[in-house]
Amino acid sequence: MVIKKITTVMVLNLFAFFLIQAQENIGGTTTQIRSPVKHEDGSVSFHLHAPNAQTVQLVGNWMASSPDSVIVMSQDARGVWSATVDSLPSDLFLYYFVLDGLRINDPSNVYQIRDVSQVFNYFITEGEPADFFKTQDVPHGTLVKLWYPSQIEGESRRMTVYLPPGYHEQHADYPVLYLLHGMGGDEEAWPTLGRVSQIMDNLVAKGQIAPMLVVMPNGHTSNQAAPGYSARGEYPIEFRTPDVGSGVMESTFMEVVDFIENSFRVKKDKKHRALAGLSMGGSHSLFIAAANPDVFDYIGLFSAAFRLTDQAGLNIYDEFGKNLERQKKQGYQLYWIGMGTDDFLYQTGVDYRNRLDRLGMEYMYHESEGGHTWSNWRKYLIEFSRLLFKD
Amino acid sequence: MVIKKITTVMVLNLFAFFLIQAQENIGGTTTQIRSPVKHEDGSVSFHLHAPNAQTVQLVGNWMASSPDSVIVMSQDARGVWSATVDSLPSDLFLYYFVLDGLRINDPSNVYQIRDVSQVFNYFITEGEPADFFKTQDVPHGTLVKLWYPSQIEGESRRMTVYLPPGYHEQHADYPVLYLLHGMGGDEEAWPTLGRVSQIMDNLVAKGQIAPMLVVMPNGHTSNQAAPGYSARGEYPIEFRTPDVGSGVMESTFMEVVDFIENSFRVKKDKKHRALAGLSMGGSHSLFIAAANPDVFDYIGLFSAAFRLTDQAGLNIYDEFGKNLERQKKQGYQLYWIGMGTDDFLYQTGVDYRNRLDRLGMEYMYHESEGGHTWSNWRKYLIEFSRLLFKD
């Protein structure tokens, strides 16, 4: 038998060839430009190689939303457009470019997040809380995408579940946080924009929270899954408008709890269940918690869309006043309300807290800067989860 | 107490307001243009609103990879650039636009797949096999992203695991297919480009395969996770070059099997274990299977990077000849080889089959059209998995 000796150089050449060919046969490569670039002093530079463009602008979610707050980028002799932003706070930021009026993503940045119908580039700065949003060298939990049987239209529905580090190795039972998204989200929102895996992993590693499951269902009962995962067809075709206010999510929510408790190793009593949500999900949470006063000991309302009507022709809404009183009577460990001072829902939060005061219902109120943003919701998740499951 | 009656119209207005504000405070919206549009006759149109562009081209992975095979799009009076492509086969396709020389993704298409360092738009046409790549109205399996403890650099490593429909409800044990990616991939490659969840769900629903787990580890032992999920830092910073040929993946692979068998409800004998991989992962598979002749009864080599050296200074490679003979002696159910006639590795496949012939090792050979592409690998997965676990 002939022994063929392959030298290291030959091997490397062969593998360089693989590296090109192992892709599909699509032509072209992305630009060699690196963007964004985070500098030592905390500033961040953005670059786009577009020699033929007339104007390029940078739009980021740290800017005010008026047209004149965008940054006009400047072009160098090679045709590279650049802008540098100073003194960003510690956070996860979204951005895109506008090239001669056309919105595009940064072709040099592979990090993107879909927010229902829009895809944004993102980057994360340094310090706290941003370090909680990054994968750190700590034990990691598991992220599960599954479908559960639902009574809603007789379909199965998709959800995301975070299992804490050690779930597969240790044969323990864990408490559960049910975490609901807002009107602009789906079962992908908390895991991506909300950085749930990273936040929970890092909080567990620091010993600041109990290891827990986080259950993130799709709160739009008019859709069974996020775009790209539904059997109903493609976005925007066959993708239905949100059914906020239909009462379906709130009225059927216990099927989610039942499925989780039958499928995972969890503790199945009130003191090991928490329920929180942002915006529309905050509204869902307050109605669900009140209608099921024996189920949840911890309730979190993050910039909640407070609906103060008791007259909607739907039991879940009509009986809210009665349910709240029952919830007060049955008791709970924590009723946590987070709200930003610039939130367009700020006054509804004031009204709701007044209502709780009149009822004599205890709550913890956390007021932050800023508005109706993921920047606040990520921080509220950190604050709220630190208070959970203190037996 | 004042009862506030909210009419449906008021509610809808309020929710329309939420729909805008429930996003972060980032300015601008995406274009109202729909793209791509799939027509009844099977043709597909692409559109981009860019009134200021001088030229826009369409580049798709169905085109030959020469520069003159790209499609020059044409502009209408409103500044919308368009192109229509006829008679595409049934498949999943990747594409992008080139606007005045700048590669961009289609801002109207939220469906994107990252392929390590590049993000592509995609769409799926009709018929077979494309219908296998879509979420259909059938029972769905679960996709799990987890980290497992590894002896490699003492770190944990990330993998994707598909659990078959019914895993959470039925308390059965399942067979396992270990499915390895190529040099251009990571633990996200088979689940995204490879459409593993959709293919397995649809094959199970048609009764064409046994319900099984599919385990998709990261085959680059120089990295612990795909870009965006590693504690080592961001891509391309701190992202290491592939370590193909180091022998580490092949030599340590049994830790993956052990982890799976300790963590999930699976059958733990040779006749319920399969191992397959594409390109580099095919090379991994043949070395791992030969070195562990009592472990896998089904081996699949998809466009494998056949390495026929027996002299590399590493046991896993040096003892390959001896291991193959042992594998022949211990026996196996299926040794499946798939190769495209245009594959740049075609001749190495001929040589490898000659070697198996000389050894008297049985194999099943599946030759297809085309080259070293995901289009073939998805089809090979369908063909191969139909042959598995026939007790």
Side-chain angles (χ1 to χ4, degrees):
Chain A
M1 194 164 97
V2 180
I3 304 292
K4 297 186 198 127
K5 181 143 182 123
I6 297 188
T7 65
T8 307
V9 172
M10 285 170 68
V11 169
L12 287 178
N13 283 340
L14 183 65
F15 296 146
F17 185 53
F18 285 179
L19 194 58
I20 297 160
Q21 299 287 330
Q23 308 289 337
E24 287 224 55
N25 57 343
I26 189 162
T29 55
T30 46
T31 167
Q32 292 308 303
I33 299 289
R34 260 185 60 206
S35 175
V37 178
K38 295 188 273 183
H39 305 289
E40 291 275 323
D41 66 358
S43 61
V44 180
S45 294
F46 302 83
H47 304 287
L48 180 75
H49 185 234
N52 300 312
Q54 298 303 305
T55 62
V56 181
Q57 295 160 322
L58 167 69
V59 183
N61 70 340
W62 61 90
M63 301 172 185
S65 54
S66 66
D68 52 339
S69 63
V70 303
I71 293 176
V72 178
M73 298 172 76
S74 56
Q75 191 183 28
D76 71 10
R78 297 170 301 155
V80 176
W81 297 79
S82 297
T84 295
V85 177
D86 296 321
S87 56
L88 285 169
S90 178
D91 211 337
L92 180 153
F93 295 99
L94 307 179
Y95 73 99
Y96 56 80
F97 295 136
V98 179
L99 180 147
D100 292 339
L102 176 69
R103 173 178 163 167
I104 63 169
N105 281 326
D106 183 346
S108 300
N109 185 353
V110 298
Y111 297 117
Q112 305 196 350
I113 294 178
R114 181 188 56 77
D115 189 3
V116 184
S117 61
Q118 301 186 41
V119 179
F120 299 97
N121 288 114
Y122 75 91
F123 64 97
I124 304 175
T125 53
E126 311 298 325
E128 286 212 5
D131 288 345
F132 281 105
F133 310 154
K134 298 176 184 171
T135 304
Q136 306 285 359
D137 189 13
V138 299
H140 299 299
T142 295
L143 205 67
V144 179
K145 308 282 182 182
L146 60 78
W147 295 73
Y148 63 99
S150 173
Q151 61 188 293
I152 301 168
E153 303 193 31
E155 291 183 322
S156 60
R157 297 176 51 72
R158 192 165 178 267
M159 70 160 81
T160 308
V161 181
Y162 166 86
L163 309 175
Y167 182 89
H168 301 289
E169 296 83 8
Q170 290 149 30
H171 296 275
D173 294 337
Y174 297 92
V176 184
L177 165 60
Y178 295 87
L179 189 60
L180 311 184
H181 64 76
M183 188 158 168
D186 52 48
E187 74 277 17
E188 303 281 329
W190 270 112
T192 54
L193 286 160
R195 309 298 285 176
V196 161
S197 292
Q198 294 83 358
I199 288 173
M200 302 313 273
D201 283 358
N202 292 324
L203 286 169
V204 169
K206 286 177 187 289
Q208 295 181 359
I209 64 169
M212 65 184 84
L213 274 75
V214 184
V215 174
M216 297 160 274
N218 184 315
H220 286 307
T221 52
S222 48
N223 294 305
Q224 60 172 181
Y229 299 98
S230 171
R232 293 232 190 104
E234 294 180 12
Y235 186 92
I237 317 153
E238 298 300 338
F239 208 77
R240 303 190 197 166
T241 49
D243 61 345
V244 191
S246 72
V248 179
M249 176 67 178
E250 300 94 320
S251 306
T252 62
F253 189 77
M254 285 307 294
E255 71 179 19
V256 172
V257 177
D258 291 342
F259 173 79
I260 291 297
E261 298 193 349
N262 285 323
S263 304
F264 295 94
R265 292 195 323 274
V266 296
K267 295 184 174 168
K268 305 180 185 181
D269 55 355
K270 181 174 174 177
K271 69 178 180 177
H272 295 104
R273 295 191 199 101
L275 172 64
L278 72 88
S279 193
M280 175 188 84
S283 172
H284 287 159
S285 296
L286 65 90
F287 284 111
I288 294 165
N292 299 280
D294 295 326
V295 177
F296 304 100
D297 236 348
Y298 301 86
I299 298 99
L301 312 179
F302 305 171
S303 312
F306 296 105
R307 247 182 83 138
L308 293 177
T309 175
D310 290 338
Q311 285 283 81
L314 291 162
N315 283 348
I316 193 79
Y317 301 137
D318 290 351
E319 291 172 13
F320 180 57
K322 203 169 67 186
N323 289 345
L324 259 190
E325 287 184 42
R326 206 152 55 103
Q327 186 179 16
K328 180 195 165 194
K329 200 164 139 196
Q330 313 279 68
Y332 47 83
Q333 288 292 323
L334 177 67
Y335 203 102
W336 193 94
I337 299 176
M339 183 63 83
T341 49
D342 299 336
D343 198 307
F344 73 103
L345 292 168
Y346 186 85
Q347 185 56 43
T348 68
V350 174
D351 296 342
Y352 190 70
R353 284 180 284 121
N354 286 340
R355 179 172 182 165
L356 295 178
D357 289 338
R358 285 194 303 272
L359 270 170
M361 277 185 75
E362 282 185 40
Y363 55 85
M364 184 181 292
Y365 180 56
H366 178 94
E367 192 166 285
S368 65
E369 292 184 358
H372 208 70
T373 64
W374 276 104
S375 178
N376 270 335
W377 303 327
R378 287 184 290 262
K379 286 181 217 157
Y380 295 168
L381 174 62
I382 293 170
E383 295 301 317
F384 179 68
S385 60
R386 281 173 175 154
L387 302 171
L388 299 181
F389 312 126
K390 304 292 183 193
D391 283 337
Chain B
M1 192 163 97
V2 180
I3 304 292
K4 298 187 199 124
K5 182 145 183 126
I6 297 189
T7 66
T8 307
V9 171
M10 283 170 68
V11 169
L12 287 177
N13 284 339
L14 183 64
F15 296 147
F17 185 52
F18 284 178
L19 194 58
I20 297 162
Q21 298 287 332
Q23 311 288 338
E24 288 225 54
N25 58 341
I26 189 162
T29 56
T30 46
T31 166
Q32 293 307 300
I33 299 288
R34 260 186 60 207
S35 176
V37 178
K38 296 188 273 183
H39 305 291
E40 292 274 322
D41 65 359
S43 62
V44 181
S45 295
F46 302 83
H47 304 287
L48 180 74
H49 185 234
N52 300 313
Q54 299 303 306
T55 62
V56 182
Q57 295 160 324
L58 168 68
V59 183
N61 70 340
W62 62 89
M63 301 171 185
S65 54
S66 66
D68 51 337
S69 63
V70 303
I71 293 176
V72 178
M73 298 173 76
S74 55
Q75 192 183 27
D76 71 9
R78 296 170 302 152
V80 177
W81 297 80
S82 297
T84 295
V85 176
D86 295 323
S87 56
L88 285 170
S90 178
D91 211 337
L92 179 152
F93 295 99
L94 306 180
Y95 73 99
Y96 55 82
F97 296 136
V98 179
L99 179 145
D100 292 339
L102 176 70
R103 173 177 164 169
I104 62 168
N105 281 326
D106 182 347
S108 300
N109 185 352
V110 297
Y111 297 117
Q112 305 196 352
I113 295 179
R114 180 188 55 78
D115 189 3
V116 185
S117 61
Q118 301 185 39
V119 179
F120 300 97
N121 288 113
Y122 75 90
F123 63 97
I124 303 175
T125 54
E126 309 299 324
E128 285 212 8
D131 288 346
F132 281 105
F133 310 155
K134 297 177 186 172
T135 305
Q136 306 285 358
D137 189 14
V138 299
H140 299 298
T142 295
L143 205 66
V144 179
K145 308 282 182 182
L146 60 78
W147 295 73
Y148 63 100
S150 172
Q151 61 189 291
I152 302 169
E153 304 193 31
E155 291 183 322
S156 59
R157 297 175 50 72
R158 193 164 177 268
M159 69 160 79
T160 307
V161 181
Y162 165 86
L163 309 176
Y167 182 89
H168 301 288
E169 297 83 7
Q170 290 150 30
H171 294 276
D173 294 336
Y174 297 92
V176 183
L177 165 60
Y178 295 87
L179 188 59
L180 310 183
H181 63 77
M183 188 158 166
D186 51 48
E187 74 277 15
E188 303 282 328
W190 271 112
T192 53
L193 286 160
R195 309 299 285 176
V196 161
S197 292
Q198 294 83 0
I199 288 173
M200 303 313 274
D201 283 358
N202 292 324
L203 286 169
V204 168
K206 286 178 187 288
Q208 295 181 358
I209 64 168
M212 66 184 83
L213 273 75
V214 184
V215 174
M216 297 160 274
N218 184 316
H220 287 307
T221 51
S222 49
N223 293 306
Q224 60 172 179
Y229 299 99
S230 171
R232 293 232 190 104
E234 294 182 11
Y235 186 90
I237 317 153
E238 298 300 334
F239 207 75
R240 302 190 198 168
T241 49
D243 62 345
V244 190
S246 72
V248 179
M249 176 67 178
E250 299 94 321
S251 306
T252 61
F253 189 75
M254 285 308 295
E255 73 179 18
V256 172
V257 177
D258 291 341
F259 174 79
I260 292 296
E261 298 193 349
N262 285 322
S263 304
F264 294 95
R265 291 197 323 274
V266 297
K267 295 182 174 170
K268 304 180 185 180
D269 55 355
K270 182 175 175 179
K271 69 177 181 179
H272 294 105
R273 295 192 199 101
L275 173 64
L278 72 89
S279 193
M280 177 187 82
S283 173
H284 287 161
S285 296
L286 64 91
F287 284 111
I288 295 165
N292 299 281
D294 295 325
V295 178
F296 303 100
D297 236 348
Y298 301 86
I299 297 98
L301 312 179
F302 304 172
S303 313
F306 296 106
R307 247 182 83 135
L308 293 177
T309 175
D310 289 338
Q311 284 284 81
L314 290 163
N315 283 350
I316 192 82
Y317 301 138
D318 291 351
E319 292 170 13
F320 181 55
K322 203 169 67 185
N323 288 347
L324 258 191
E325 287 184 39
R326 206 152 56 102
Q327 187 179 15
K328 179 196 166 194
K329 200 165 140 197
Q330 313 280 67
Y332 47 83
Q333 287 293 321
L334 177 67
Y335 203 102
W336 193 93
I337 299 176
M339 184 63 83
T341 50
D342 300 335
D343 198 306
F344 73 104
L345 292 169
Y346 186 85
Q347 185 56 42
T348 68
V350 173
D351 297 341
Y352 190 71
R353 283 181 284 120
N354 286 339
R355 178 171 183 164
L356 295 178
D357 289 338
R358 287 194 303 272
L359 270 170
M361 278 186 73
E362 283 186 38
Y363 56 84
M364 184 181 289
Y365 180 57
H366 177 94
E367 191 165 284
S368 65
E369 293 183 357
H372 207 70
T373 64
W374 276 104
S375 178
N376 271 334
W377 303 326
R378 286 184 291 261
K379 286 180 214 154
Y380 295 167
L381 174 62
I382 293 171
E383 295 302 318
F384 179 69
S385 61
R386 282 173 175 154
L387 302 171
L388 299 181
F389 312 125
K390 304 293 186 193
D391 284 336

